[in-house]
Amino acid sequence: MILTVTLNPAIDKILILDSFNMHKLHRLNPDEKSYVVAGGKGINIAQTLSKLGNKVIATGFAGGHSGHLLCDAMRQLGITTSFVFTNDSTRTNISILALNNETLTQINDFGQDIPEEDIRFFIENYEKLLTRVEYVVIAGSLPLGVSPEIYPELISMANKQNKKVVVHTVPQHMEIIMEEQPFLISPDMRSNHELFGKTIDGVEQFLETGKSIVDKCRNTEFVIFTHRLENVVAVTKKKGYVMRPKELRIVNMLGYGDSYLAGFIHAFKEKNDYKDILKYASAAGLTNVEDLYKEIKDVNTIDKNLTRINIEEINF
């Protein structure tokens, strides 16, 4: 069983347009698409894990009509939901994919303002949920009212119960996350390429930074940088790995890193060889990025894409 924690989930309104121009009225034509799905990084990971056949519990904060929509969407996929409902409504994010110039415009709301009593109730519920799972995935941004200190608290609680913890969030929280040494750290560097006060962008810098993290964190087994699709970098205690897809055809960047991590967790549960695990994870990310939709529609395509992933090993 896998527990995903999404503290700041969303309803994602996604528009796939032939073209998009500012300061103009745009009426959708029959060939264009508009759809609404449950969102937030932990939610995305939960949905892919469930499609891959894993038993998943999803938790976090939700509220209002949109919060009920969020939970209903996940339950339809067979995901168990255990969200703390608050007075404010779950946020709505908007993504506009323009096919003519291959641009993606995203507008993310800041989310609910979570009161202290709801945070305490969430922590109590989280501790109970830990007894039912083997893996914990903490992913996404923080809503208003929730301090970054919640990350080390959640990791510490899971570590004490010997759970494998995966953390995927923005770089500015990495130092406090490292204090508790989760099993896997994946900085979300899509919009911020700075880590530990310096720019990190390129294979050599990813390898160097990942190695410094695993050297400092005795219990951290993987550091993974997913935001450069042509060169995804994974670092372990002994080796670095660079995953390069063949003939990459980027159609849609929504949810790429989330699909990668879901593929990693699924493969890690079933495989022993690190290269096989990382190849499957990269094939999951590749499958996602080559489809118009945020989620993977056919998980069988992942296996077909395994042969398209080249892996370079670097010994430390």
Side-chain angles (χ1 to χ4, degrees):
M1 184 80 81
I2 302 163
L3 175 65
T4 64
V5 179
T6 314
L7 299 172
N8 199 20
I11 293 297
D12 286 347
K13 172 75 172 180
I14 300 172
L15 301 169
I16 302 175
L17 310 179
D18 292 336
S19 62
F20 175 67
N21 297 304
M22 299 289 289
H23 310 299
K24 288 187 177 181
L25 172 64
H26 189 106
R27 297 187 189 277
L28 269 66
N29 66 53
D31 295 328
E32 296 176 320
K33 296 178 176 63
S34 170
Y35 63 99
V36 175
V37 292
K41 302 193 76 57
I43 301 298
N44 298 340
I45 293 169
Q47 291 180 115
T48 301
L49 283 169
S50 181
K51 285 188 175 184
L52 287 167
N54 300 279
K55 294 184 181 298
V56 184
I57 304 173
T59 189
F61 298 104
H65 177 64
S66 54
H68 287 289
L69 286 175
L70 180 92
C71 292
D72 288 346
M74 285 186 289
R75 286 194 286 265
Q76 288 176 16
L77 289 174
I79 298 168
T80 300
T81 59
S82 185
F83 281 78
V84 173
F85 267 73
T86 67
N87 290 329
D88 290 341
S89 293
T90 295
R91 62 185 177 143
T92 296
N93 294 338
I94 299 171
S95 298
I96 303 171
L97 177 63
L99 301 179
N100 64 325
N101 52 10
E102 298 181 343
T103 60
L104 175 62
T105 303
Q106 293 179 285
I107 303 170
N108 286 1
D109 197 353
F110 47 76
Q112 303 156 266
D113 192 347
I114 311 297
E116 182 61 34
E117 58 268 29
D118 287 340
I119 297 172
R120 288 198 302 269
F121 183 64
F122 167 79
I123 295 292
E124 292 171 6
N125 186 55
Y126 173 78
E127 188 168 25
K128 294 173 184 175
L129 292 173
L130 286 175
T131 63
R132 302 170 57 185
V133 303
E134 300 171 83
Y135 294 80
V136 178
V137 182
I138 303 169
S141 60
L142 293 174
L144 297 174
V146 179
S147 164
E149 294 298 328
I150 198 170
Y151 289 122
E153 184 175 3
L154 298 180
I155 298 165
S156 175
M157 292 170 67
N159 283 344
K160 286 175 181 175
Q161 294 194 34
N162 298 313
K163 312 303 179 183
K164 291 192 180 298
V165 184
V166 174
V167 182
H168 182 43
T169 190
V170 291
Q172 53 261 43
H173 303 318
M174 286 301 117
E175 292 193 50
I176 60 171
I177 286 167
M178 287 169 59
E179 293 172 7
E180 297 299 333
Q181 305 180 27
F183 161 71
L184 186 154
I185 296 174
S186 178
D188 178 12
M189 302 182 71
R190 293 170 300 165
S191 58
N192 181 0
H193 296 166
E194 285 194 2
L195 190 56
F196 310 130
K198 60 180 181 180
T199 300
I200 307 295
D201 198 9
V203 170
E204 293 303 320
Q205 291 176 322
F206 294 149
L207 290 168
E208 180 184 345
T209 304
K211 183 67 165 60
S212 71
I213 293 173
V214 296
D215 285 346
K216 292 175 184 175
C217 302
R218 180 168 50 89
N219 296 321
T220 297
E221 296 184 33
F222 289 89
V223 177
I224 302 180
F225 298 92
T226 61
H227 68 288
R228 291 299 183 199
L229 282 68
E230 69 280 6
N231 290 299
V232 173
V233 173
V235 176
T236 67
K237 299 292 185 186
K238 296 181 179 179
K239 290 185 179 182
Y241 301 85
V242 183
M243 281 66 69
R244 298 184 175 95
K246 300 176 185 175
E247 300 175 356
L248 177 62
R249 300 182 297 273
I250 299 175
V251 176
N252 174 19
M253 286 291 292
L254 289 170
Y256 169 80
D258 307 331
S259 294
Y260 183 100
L261 289 174
F264 178 97
I265 296 162
H266 176 74
F268 190 88
K269 291 170 76 257
E270 298 190 345
K271 305 175 188 294
N272 295 316
D273 183 76
Y274 282 1
K275 287 181 68 175
D276 290 342
I277 295 166
L278 293 168
K279 181 173 283 192
Y280 188 89
S282 288
L286 177 64
T287 301
N288 172 270
V289 84
E290 292 189 338
D291 195 349
L292 278 175
Y293 295 93
K294 184 185 73 170
E295 68 276 13
I296 295 175
K297 290 294 185 181
D298 182 5
V299 294
N300 294 319
T301 309
I302 299 173
D303 289 322
K304 297 175 183 177
N305 280 331
L306 288 171
T307 58
R308 295 177 57 198
I309 307 298
N310 289 327
I311 297 186
E312 177 188 359
E313 293 184 63
I314 296 98
N315 292 314
F316 292 134

